Each structure stands twice: as C-alpha cells, then as structure tokens.
Amino acid sequence: MIIIMKSDFTDNDMKDINKRLTDGGLQGQKIEGTEKTVIAVVGNVYPELRDEFSRMDGVASVVRISKPYKLSSRETQPNDTIINLPFNVDVGGSNFVVMAGPCSIENHDQLFETAQAVKNSGAHVLRGGAFKPRSSPYSFRGLGEEGLKLLAQAREEFNMPVITEVLSYRDVDLVAQYSDILQIGARNMQNFILLDEVGKTGKPIMLKRALAGSIEEWLLASEYILSQNNPNVILCERGIRTFEKATRNTLDLNAIALVKQLSHLPVISDPSHGTGLWDLVEPMSLASIAVGADGLMIEVHPNPEVALSDGPQSLKPDNFDKLMKVASNLTNMVGKPMAAKPH
Ligand code: PEP
Ligand code: MN
C-alpha cells in the first residue's frame, strides 16, 4: 500500500500515521518526491486498515500496490531513483554511467594500468574483484583484503569511485570500508541473509541478476536491500543461462527494457559476462543503450591472454577506448548522455 499525503500535511499528521503503522505491526518508508510525499507501507494491510488510513488527517489517498515487489515498483515511486556516488558521479535518471576495470585485481601494476586507461577513456567507476566466485575451487579466487587495499589506493590516485563484490556476509563490513558500491554477484542474488546485511550498510549496492533468476525474483531480491531502509540499489543484467552454448550467457535485453518500466531503480548492463566474448561486448553495449540501460559494466585487462579470470571476455584498453567513443554518440542520441566525469 502507499499512502499519498496532501500537500499541506503537518508533522503531527505524519506522527499519527507512523504511530498507527507501528501499532499495526507495519513498516512505513517516507518517500519525498518533487511533487508529493508518499509513505510506502509493507506488511499485511487488510482492507479495513486501508480504509482507516485513508480517513486520517493529512492523507490524500491510499493506493494498493498490486505487484509483489513494493519498494522497487514504479507504482510506489514513479520517478527514477538517482544514486549519488563520491567524486560527483550520479547513477540513474538521465545519466549514463560506465563502470570498467579488470575482472580480478591481480597485482598493483595490472590494476593501476587498467585504471589509468579506463579513466582516460571516460569511465566513471573503477571495478575490480578481490573476492571471486569461481566455478572451480582450484581457480584464482582473488587477493582478498590485499586486493581491496589496492583498489582503495587506485580510488585515491585516479579520483574515481570503486565497486567490488562481497561474497559472504562475514566480509560485508570489511568490503564496505574500502568500496563505494558493494556488488552482489549473480550467484548470490538470493542469498537473503547477505542481502539483509549489505542493506544495513546504507551503501550503494549493485545487485546482479542470477543465472536463472526471473525478473520477479530479481526485483524481490532488491526488496531485501530496500526494506533495510537503503534506497541505493542498482540492478545489473549480466546474462542468463539458456540452451545456447555459443555464448557464455544470453544477455537479456528484454529484461532491461521491461525492468525500466516496472521499477524506478537504475539498470546497468554487463555485456562482458552476458556474452563471454570480447568482440561481442561493443555490439551488445550499443544494444543495451538502445533498450534503455542506465550504464554499462565492462571488463578491461591490459593483457587479456594472461588474465587470471575472464580473459576471453575482457577488452584491451584500446578497444575499450573505441567502445567509449561509439557509446557516447549513441547515449547522446537516446537522450541519456554520459554522466559528468568523476572529479
Ligand atoms: C564479476 O563481475 O566478475 C562476476 C563474477 O559477475 P557475475 O556475478 O555476474 O558472474
Ligand atoms: Mn568476471
């Protein structure tokens, strides 16, 4: 349910509503829009209670949210969510944002060389994995805290916000100390305890879609974070598993276009994992822009042949530079130009 407030509601009206919500065992979240203030209410709201709220002072109307996902729904919040990152980078709304960097942080020189290159080409956010979810336990699983430290050094050196994955609830506080955005990987989309914990940090969270996650399950997963009173959720389409084996995954462009209708949250496309093939990254980036994505996440490596993870899908810096030039033309054409450079 959402409670839409009259334009002249008072502090006392709000206090009475909050008290009634608490008495009824309900959770309310105030959302202040440009035109009106609403309270998104989650919990079991039976019809008589809804009527009671509609009669309270300061209330203009009460609307039932038909979707199972509530806080992420455009029914609750019609305007796009815009997330402010450090270094003056905004995600969502009319801003197009590019996150780029290596799949895994391997060492100082590999990270810094990549960071310098992606910054020069106009990337907004530096990515780099320190805790890596690998199909085989014998593959490189990341540098852990040492990798986080390198990422934090690169953040200061290149003045750009950083994103990295947190794999386990036990590492949430550690990763939150170093990273501006916490990434929840595809394999953890429905790790509900981890979602609760990252939600509590209040930090921006990028929630990747699971390999076999439906759109509804993805949006319901985002509710776990949002319902911790953390509105800073970014969604990331990274391809789903289909019968097709010629590409690593199938980048679901339908999902990007549909989720933009269903939800106010920013949607980033990851054509690197979505295809698994570096020479499909540019065409699928452009396709993602055309269907309404709010940004891209691209894996870049100075020397993909020797990368410790995801080399075959990583762009060399010069190909990334080429992609950025074509992409910025298209983002201008669709009316969502590249966000201001980090500064
Ligand atoms: C990654 O971003 O390197 C990653 C492991 O992504 P995903 O969770 O989408 O597989
Ligand atoms: Mn990767």
Side-chain angles (χ1 to χ4, degrees):
M1 166 181 86
I2 52 173
I3 301 172
I4 301 168
M5 302 302 291
K6 288 182 176 157
S7 53
D8 59 352
F9 75 88
T10 65
D11 287 350
N12 269 339
D13 297 339
M14 195 51 95
K15 234 184 254 162
D16 291 345
I17 291 169
N18 280 329
K19 181 166 184 319
R20 188 65 191 93
L21 286 171
T22 314
D23 291 348
L26 299 168
Q27 210 194 337
Q29 247 178 61
K30 190 167 149 197
I31 302 169
E32 283 179 81
T34 41
E35 279 153 39
K36 54 191 177 193
T37 297
V38 306
I39 308 169
V41 179
V42 280
N44 177 26
V45 191
Y46 48 89
E48 293 78 9
L49 192 55
R50 211 161 43 233
D51 291 346
E52 191 183 325
F53 279 111
S54 67
R55 289 192 301 268
M56 289 183 78
D57 289 342
V59 173
S61 61
V62 171
V63 181
R64 210 177 147 246
I65 301 297
S66 55
K67 299 282 194 301
Y69 43 87
K70 311 286 179 191
L71 299 172
S72 58
S73 171
R74 272 216 196 262
E75 289 180 282
T76 303
Q77 186 185 313
N79 298 330
D80 288 343
T81 282
I82 299 178
I83 297 167
N84 310 118
L85 299 177
F87 304 101
N88 308 295
V89 174
D90 290 340
V91 185
S94 58
N95 309 286
F96 196 87
V97 162
V98 179
M99 307 180 183
C103 177
S104 299
I105 299 163
E106 298 172 4
N107 54 58
H108 174 280
D109 291 355
Q110 172 249 16
L111 179 66
F112 276 56
E113 198 182 317
T114 314
Q116 178 74 74
V118 300
K119 173 90 196 257
N120 288 348
S121 300
H124 303 89
V125 177
L126 177 65
R127 69 149 281 152
F131 292 97
K132 296 303 301 175
R134 303 307 301 274
S135 299
S136 162
Y138 310 121
S139 303
F140 176 63
R141 293 169 69 181
L143 295 180
E145 187 169 5
E146 193 195 327
L148 296 177
K149 286 185 176 155
L150 290 172
L151 191 63
Q153 280 170 26
R155 176 186 193 271
E156 299 312 311
E157 174 85 17
F158 299 104
N159 288 309
M160 60 198 303
V162 295
I163 177 169
T164 196
E165 176 166 355
V166 56
L167 261 185
S168 162
Y169 72 90
R170 64 168 191 236
D171 298 324
V172 169
D173 291 340
L174 177 75
V175 177
Q177 274 173 42
Y178 292 100
S179 191
D180 300 297
I181 309 175
L182 307 187
Q183 174 172 320
I184 298 297
R187 289 152 195 83
N188 270 323
M189 186 195 86
Q190 288 188 313
N191 183 339
F192 301 122
I193 304 297
L194 178 61
L195 299 179
D196 282 342
E197 292 305 310
V198 293
K200 285 180 199 159
T201 65
K203 286 221 160 192
I205 310 297
M206 188 166 89
L207 177 65
K208 291 189 124 189
R209 184 181 179 189
L211 281 73
S214 70
I215 289 171
E216 188 169 299
E217 287 166 338
W218 189 17
L219 290 172
L220 281 168
S222 79
E223 294 287 310
Y224 278 82
I225 304 164
L226 296 166
S227 62
Q228 293 294 338
N229 254 317
N230 184 346
N232 305 309
V233 177
I234 302 165
L235 299 169
C236 178
E237 163 59 42
R238 48 77 73 204
I240 49 174
R241 186 164 282 187
T242 66
F243 61 86
E244 184 53 71
K245 294 283 177 289
T247 49
R248 180 179 179 184
N249 290 295
T250 297
L251 187 69
D252 186 0
L253 295 172
N254 292 351
I256 297 174
L258 184 58
V259 171
K260 287 301 296 172
Q261 289 177 8
L262 297 175
S263 176
H264 50 85
L265 298 173
V267 181
I268 301 291
S269 173
D270 171 356
S272 304
H273 293 88
T275 65
L277 299 167
W278 70 268
D279 52 353
L280 293 186
V281 168
E282 181 180 309
M284 295 314 284
S285 296
L286 300 181
S288 302
I289 297 168
V291 297
D294 296 298
L296 296 169
M297 171 171 262
I298 308 286
E299 287 186 341
V300 180
H301 195 288
N303 202 354
E305 298 80 11
V306 297
L308 295 182
S309 61
D310 289 350
Q313 68 193 35
S314 298
L315 292 185
K316 290 183 180 166
D318 55 343
N319 284 327
F320 178 70
D321 192 65
K322 191 172 148 270
L323 163 64
M324 287 300 284
K325 293 201 165 82
V326 194
S328 50
N329 288 336
L330 190 56
T331 58
N332 288 338
M333 273 177 67
V334 300
K336 198 182 284 186
M338 290 281 173
K341 295 215 167 109
H343 57 276

